[in-house]
């Protein structure tokens, strides 16, 4: 302060504690200094919290490991905040020192660390994570096979409980919830009508157009009508409708029942004396088996209309000749065959949807998996059973 | 307290706050303050809007009227960036625990740690085990939430809330579904966090024991008046309050005389 005061002579004193390394980032800084005999002092200043711990661990540990001191003193006299993330840093440093057979000391005049370190001993948590059981591939295969067998068992037993519930409902018709059936019919049938009609119309249109390219060459335009009518009514109509319903309603059944399952609502129903299958699955199955055949009829009609629009606009056919050709080819057998198939498809879709819902367990992802698996399984079973129908038919004719 | 020049600037300041769902007004024109480092308790009967108030304090719902300042940020009107900063400083335990069902407990707790720090994996694992240890769930890191009891989920939710040692901790009924011993241990943990990290703690609870054990100041909400009917230290509320509702709340459990036994229940006030 005063002019005549001699300035301190820095050059005469050698700096015993020249910093070997010092860094600062965010709310923390550290300094490593030599303390003679290969010992180190590490001073950490300001905050040791979750924001600074990663920086401290990443820059201090390699440094200490490289120098492998015999003794290390951690100086914390300028610390302002310390929590268990600070304890984590200390633990990591300690581990490094233990590996190098060095001794570790904490110099904490402010006693910032006492409360935390007496409460928390991170040594107990050092062990590497116990691997989950079933990590070996043999166990995986075995577990997978067991799960598969179990899944088949539940599928079969679910067929049984659905059958019993249906019998029960047939005898005690009061136990059937007609209100629920109506609601499900609206959701599965009425609400699906626009999309089923549109898809069928476009399908009929495309089919008529593609077949006309071939049939025109023989002057057999009128057979476009037979082809579209036959294909739509006996094959594509039932299949398309079933696939749309599986995507819309099969997944919804699985998600609804799956959610009820994981929130223990299904268990609540059983404890109140309801049979969950009768309460939840039967109304959905009945509703589907009623509305899917109706949707299939609409699908056939709209498919034929799609074909008709191509026939009239591009193939010089009159509407009446197109329609009469279509009706000629459709026998009663054809139509009832188509409806039979669609009832079976409806049973498959609703059965699989409900089954997957009841199988759900775990968290929110279980519901998503149930919905996905309901759609995939029912589409597969629809195509499979359709092939059986085709074989059966070849024997009937 | 208010107006005292020595009192520290409040960390939470709610002024003329009104909350409603649609046309349904839940809380009307309420104001209170929480000082830093305080254990603040929100009391009230079931359905009076405690969880609603908490949802507003953490910015999940915006107030219909009034302002809420938390840690210097007006969360009722702040922008996205300020709100993100605010979120980094708070930890929340929801009434339903709200663990992510598709993740194990360890992954649930590691989620904030991995997001906000760049610690190496083994250090993260260590912290996860430490936090699970704090809530007495050692060895449960590989379990899914659906494999736990309700009380265990609560404790795991608490472990996730304190994963980053937040500045303010919001707990919605931390001891509901816990036995008295575990509940006392949780209180101990809350006090430890409060004392050693100077964390401000806002708790919704019905647990009378825990209110007296850890509560420094409490407010009581009421469904009828849609406001605060009492405010003060829990012991003062118990002995000095003239409000019949408050007295009923604090005396709703068996006293020494067996004949005056009234079944105590969380929701029975
Ligand atoms: N999402 C919501 N939409 C409409 N009303 C709601 C909603 N959540 C809560 N409410 C209503 O707000 C009121 C307060 O609910 P809140 O969950 O805050 O009660 P609470 O005090 O936490 O009760 P409890 O002690 O039972 O948890 C209730 O009347 C409830 O019906
Ligand atoms: Mg609540």
């Amino acid at each position: 302060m005063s002019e005549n005061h001699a300035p301190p002579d820095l050059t005469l004193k050698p700096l015993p504690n020249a910093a070997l390394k010092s860094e600062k980032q965010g709310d923390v800084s550290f300094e490593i200094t030599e303390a003679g005999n290969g010992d180190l002092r590490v001073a950490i200043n300001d905050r040791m919290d979750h924001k600074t711990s990663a920086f401290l661990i990443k820059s201090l540990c390699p440094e200490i490991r490289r120098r492998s001191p015999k003794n290390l003193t951690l100086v914390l006299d300028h610390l302002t905040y310390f929590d268990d993330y600070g304890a984590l840093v200390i633990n990591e440093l300690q581990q490094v020192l233990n590996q190098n057979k060095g001794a570790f000391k904490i110099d904490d005049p402010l006693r910032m660390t006492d409360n935390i370190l007496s409460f928390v001993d991170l040594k107990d948590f050092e062990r590497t994570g116990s691997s989950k059981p079933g990590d070996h591939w043999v166990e995986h295969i075995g577990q997978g096979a067991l799960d598969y067998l179990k899944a088949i068992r539940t599928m079969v037993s679910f067929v049984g409980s659905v059958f019993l519930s249906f019998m029960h409902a047939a005898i005690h018709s009061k136990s059937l919830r007609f209100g629920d059936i109506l609601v499900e019919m609206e959701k599965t049938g009425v609400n699906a009508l626009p999309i089923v009609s549109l898809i069928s119309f476009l399908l009929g249109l495309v089919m008529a157009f593609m077949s006309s390219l071939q049939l025109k060459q023989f002057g057999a335009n009128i057979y476009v009508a037979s082809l579209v009518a036959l294909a739509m009514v006996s094959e594509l109509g039932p299949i398309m409708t079933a696939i749309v319903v599986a995507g819309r309603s099969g997944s919804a059944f699985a998600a609804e029942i799956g959610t009820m399952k994981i929130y223990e609502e299904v268990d609540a129903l059983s404890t109140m004396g309801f049979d969950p299958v009768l309460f939840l699955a039967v109304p959905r199955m009945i509703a589907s088996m009623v509305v899917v055949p109706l949707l299939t009829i609409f699908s056939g009609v709209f498919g034929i209309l799609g074909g008709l629009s191509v026939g009239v606009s591009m193939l010089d056919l009159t509407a009446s000749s197109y329609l009469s050709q279509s009706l000629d080819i459709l026998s009663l057998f054809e139509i009832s065959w188509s409806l039979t198939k669609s009832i079976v498809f409806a049973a498959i879709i609703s059965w699989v949807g409900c089954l997957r819902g009841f199988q759900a367990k775990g968290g929110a992802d279980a519901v998503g998996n149930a919905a996905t698996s309901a759609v995939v399984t029912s589409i597969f079973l629809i195509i499979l059973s359709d092939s059986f129908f085709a074989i059966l038919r070849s024997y009937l004719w | 307290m208010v107006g005292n020049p020595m009192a520290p600037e409040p960390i939470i300041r709610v002024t003329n706050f009104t909350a409603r769902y649609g046309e349904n007004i839940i809380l009307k024109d309420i104001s209170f303050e929480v000082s830093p480092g305080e254990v603040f308790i929100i009391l009230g009967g079931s359905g009076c809007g405690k969880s609603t108030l908490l949802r507003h304090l953490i910015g999940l719902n915006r107030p219909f009227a009034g302002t809420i300042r938390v840690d210097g940020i007006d969360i009722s009107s702040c922008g996205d960036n300020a709100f993100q900063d605010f979120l980094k400083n708070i930890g929340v335990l929801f009434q339903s625990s709200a663990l992510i069902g598709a993740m194990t407990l360890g992954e649930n707790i590691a989620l904030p740690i991995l997001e906000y720090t760049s610690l190496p994996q083994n250090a993260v694992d260590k912290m996860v085990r430490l936090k699970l240890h704090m809530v007495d769930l050692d060895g449960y890191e590989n379990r899914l939430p659906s494999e736990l009891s309700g009380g265990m989920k609560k404790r795991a939710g608490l472990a996730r809330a304190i994963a980053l040692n937040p500045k303010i901790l919001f707990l919605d009924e931390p001891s509901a579904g816990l036995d008295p011993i575990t509940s006392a241990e949780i209180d101990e943990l809350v006090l430890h966090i409060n004392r050693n990290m100077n964390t401000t703690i806002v708790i919704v609870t019905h647990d009378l024991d825990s209110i007296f054990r850890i509560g420094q100041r409490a407010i009581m909400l009421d469904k009828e008046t849609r406001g605060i009917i009492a405010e003060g230290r829990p012991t003062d509320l118990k002995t000095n309050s003239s409000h019949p509702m408050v007295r009923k709340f604090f005396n709703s459990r068996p006293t020494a005389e067996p004949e005056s036994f009234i079944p105590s229940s969380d929701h029975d006030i």
Side-chain angles (χ1 to χ4, degrees):
Chain A
M1 275 173 239
S2 57
E3 297 276 315
N4 51 8
H5 213 282
D9 192 354
L10 287 173
T11 52
L12 284 180
K13 280 187 207 157
L15 291 172
N17 297 334
L20 298 171
K21 184 173 167 134
S22 99
E23 269 183 57
K24 180 172 167 56
Q25 192 190 66
D27 291 330
V28 76
S29 63
F30 70 84
E31 193 175 81
I32 306 177
T33 49
E34 192 90 52
N37 301 334
D39 295 350
L40 285 185
R41 285 166 64 86
V42 176
I44 299 179
N45 305 327
D46 294 334
R47 292 178 67 88
M48 289 178 79
D49 59 11
H50 74 266
K51 286 180 196 136
T52 61
S53 57
F55 161 72
L56 289 174
I57 289 174
K58 282 179 183 165
S59 30
L60 281 176
C61 287
E63 193 69 22
I64 307 289
R65 191 170 290 129
R66 198 167 56 79
R67 296 181 184 272
S68 68
K70 272 210 263 334
N71 292 296
L72 186 139
T73 312
L74 192 60
V75 185
L76 303 175
D77 54 354
H78 282 88
L79 213 54
T80 55
Y81 179 90
F82 182 86
D83 64 17
D84 41 15
Y85 283 86
L88 177 71
V89 174
I90 292 180
N91 170 266
E92 293 278 329
L93 291 178
Q94 242 164 354
Q95 262 185 304
V96 171
L97 236 59
N98 285 347
Q99 282 160 12
N100 297 344
K101 310 262 183 298
F104 185 82
K105 213 177 88 198
I106 298 176
D107 177 10
D108 176 24
L110 304 175
R111 313 195 78 72
M112 292 287 290
T113 61
D114 280 9
N115 285 329
I116 304 288
L117 289 183
S118 62
F119 189 78
V120 163
D121 190 1
L122 275 151
K123 272 214 196 67
D124 305 342
F125 307 107
E126 275 166 12
R127 75 203 149 79
T128 46
S130 57
S131 63
K132 293 182 200 178
D135 262 1
H136 198 269
W137 62 271
V138 176
E139 278 178 69
H140 267 295
I141 294 177
Q143 194 60 47
L146 286 179
D147 288 349
Y148 197 74
L149 283 179
K150 217 169 134 194
I152 291 179
R153 260 185 69 135
T154 27
M155 274 174 105
V156 173
S157 79
F158 190 65
V159 174
S161 34
V162 166
F163 185 75
L164 286 180
S165 299
F166 262 100
M167 297 295 282
H168 183 87
I171 299 166
H172 309 93
S173 61
K174 269 220 200 88
S175 64
L176 209 54
R177 299 170 56 86
F178 284 101
D180 284 4
I181 297 181
L182 286 181
V183 172
E184 293 302 333
M185 279 165 86
E186 182 185 347
K187 286 201 281 191
T188 309
V190 180
N191 298 349
L193 189 56
I195 186 70
V196 167
S197 311
L198 180 66
I199 289 180
S200 307
F201 183 84
L202 293 176
L203 205 60
L205 197 127
V206 170
M207 221 180 346
F209 181 71
M210 295 307 290
S211 56
S212 73
L213 294 182
Q214 300 295 316
L215 292 174
K216 236 188 205 162
Q217 297 171 9
F218 309 104
N221 278 354
I222 189 65
Y223 289 110
V224 169
S226 335
L227 192 147
V228 170
L230 199 58
M232 277 315 291
V233 170
S234 69
E235 265 316 307
L236 291 173
I239 291 266
M240 282 309 303
T241 310
I243 288 177
V244 169
V245 172
R248 282 185 83 258
S249 302
S251 58
F253 295 163
E256 283 165 15
I257 297 178
T259 310
M260 294 183 72
K261 180 80 194 299
I262 64 173
Y263 288 119
E264 299 179 325
E265 290 173 34
V266 173
D267 300 338
L269 284 176
S270 337
T271 54
M272 286 185 280
F274 294 103
D275 171 14
V277 175
L278 183 59
F279 195 96
L280 296 170
V282 170
R284 288 175 168 80
M285 291 192 70
I286 292 178
S288 311
M289 285 158 74
V290 172
V291 294
V292 172
L294 297 179
L295 283 175
T296 305
I297 294 175
F298 275 98
S299 164
V301 169
F302 276 91
I304 291 174
L305 286 181
L308 178 76
S309 64
V310 170
V312 171
S313 62
M314 295 170 66
L315 305 177
D316 301 328
L317 296 172
T318 62
S320 67
S321 63
Y322 187 99
L323 283 180
S324 68
Q325 180 71 21
S326 299
L327 291 179
D328 275 352
I329 196 81
L330 293 177
S331 59
L332 189 61
F333 173 79
E334 211 65 67
I335 292 169
S336 46
W337 187 250
S338 149
L339 293 182
T340 313
K341 281 209 296 198
S342 68
I343 292 175
V344 172
F345 293 164
I348 290 175
I349 295 165
S350 48
W351 171 70
V352 170
C354 297
L355 168 73
R356 292 299 187 226
F358 281 115
Q359 281 176 328
K361 60 167 178 284
D365 57 331
V367 177
N369 293 343
T372 308
S373 146
V375 175
V376 173
T377 311
S378 37
I379 289 181
F380 169 71
L381 289 181
I382 287 165
I383 305 288
L384 190 71
S385 58
D386 192 52
S387 337
F388 279 121
F389 273 108
I391 296 169
L392 194 64
R393 185 175 170 152
S394 71
Y395 281 110
L396 285 183
W397 258 0
Chain B
M1 271 233 222
V2 182
N4 179 352
M6 292 304 286
E9 182 73 3
I11 193 162
I12 299 177
R13 175 178 276 157
V14 175
T15 11
N16 305 111
F17 159 72
T18 297
R20 58 188 233 181
Y21 290 111
E23 286 302 299
N24 196 2
I25 296 179
I26 310 293
L27 295 167
K28 203 167 170 191
D29 205 23
I30 67 170
S31 306
F32 62 90
E33 290 175 354
V34 181
S35 319
E38 196 173 27
V39 179
F40 186 81
I41 299 207
I42 301 174
L43 300 173
S46 181
C48 70
K50 302 181 299 294
S51 298
T52 304
L53 175 58
L54 208 65
R55 287 179 67 83
H56 283 85
L57 290 180
I58 58 179
L60 281 179
N61 296 2
R62 297 268 153 142
F64 175 71
T67 54
I68 298 176
R69 287 185 76 83
V70 183
D71 197 18
I73 299 172
D74 182 352
I75 55 167
S76 40
S77 65
C78 70
D80 263 0
N81 285 340
F83 190 64
Q84 285 298 325
D85 287 342
F86 158 75
L87 290 180
K88 279 179 203 160
N89 288 328
I90 63 167
V92 184
L93 166 63
F94 288 90
Q95 189 164 9
S96 59
S97 306
L99 298 165
I100 312 286
M103 296 181 176
T104 62
L105 283 203
E107 288 167 339
N108 263 288
I109 295 165
L111 201 61
I113 303 181
L114 288 171
E115 179 65 23
Y116 291 114
T117 72
S118 50
L119 286 171
Q121 187 62 46
N122 80 317
V124 174
D125 290 345
K126 233 185 276 180
M127 283 319 280
V128 166
R129 283 193 286 269
L130 168 66
K131 298 292 175 182
L132 280 173
H133 170 74
M134 285 181 167
V135 296
D136 210 7
L137 283 175
D138 299 84
Y140 279 90
E141 56 261 38
N142 289 329
R143 295 287 200 92
L144 287 170
S146 57
E147 300 165 350
L148 300 184
S149 77
M152 287 159 91
K153 277 187 222 171
K154 215 74 240 200
R155 285 183 277 152
L158 179 61
R160 187 178 65 180
I162 59 172
L164 293 175
N165 301 322
K167 221 164 156 180
I168 314 173
L169 194 54
F170 295 93
L171 309 175
D172 198 345
E173 302 197 12
S175 47
L178 297 182
D179 62 283
I181 298 172
T182 317
S183 161
E185 281 170 7
I186 295 286
D187 286 345
E188 201 111 306
L189 174 65
V190 168
L191 276 185
H192 165 82
I193 294 168
N194 171 255
R195 297 220 177 104
N196 293 315
M197 294 164 206
N198 203 27
T199 308
T200 309
I201 297 177
V202 177
I203 309 183
V204 171
T205 184
H206 301 288
D207 185 344
L208 284 175
D209 291 326
S210 134
I211 293 169
F212 291 117
R213 244 185 329 243
I214 60 177
Q216 293 168 4
R217 216 153 54 82
I219 56 170
M220 185 154 175
L221 303 178
D222 179 50
K223 199 171 174 154
E224 300 304 310
T225 55
R226 299 182 186 135
I228 299 175
I229 51 170
E231 176 168 4
R233 297 192 328 154
T235 39
D236 290 346
L237 290 187
K238 181 181 165 79
T239 48
N240 301 341
S241 179
S242 55
H243 202 289
M245 211 56 167
V246 181
R247 280 219 310 279
K248 216 169 158 192
F249 184 94
F250 281 102
N251 298 309
S252 69
R253 62 186 184 141
T255 46
E257 302 301 317
E259 55 267 29
S260 66
F261 177 80
I262 304 161
S264 91
S265 143
D266 274 351
H267 298 292
D268 183 8
I269 61 147

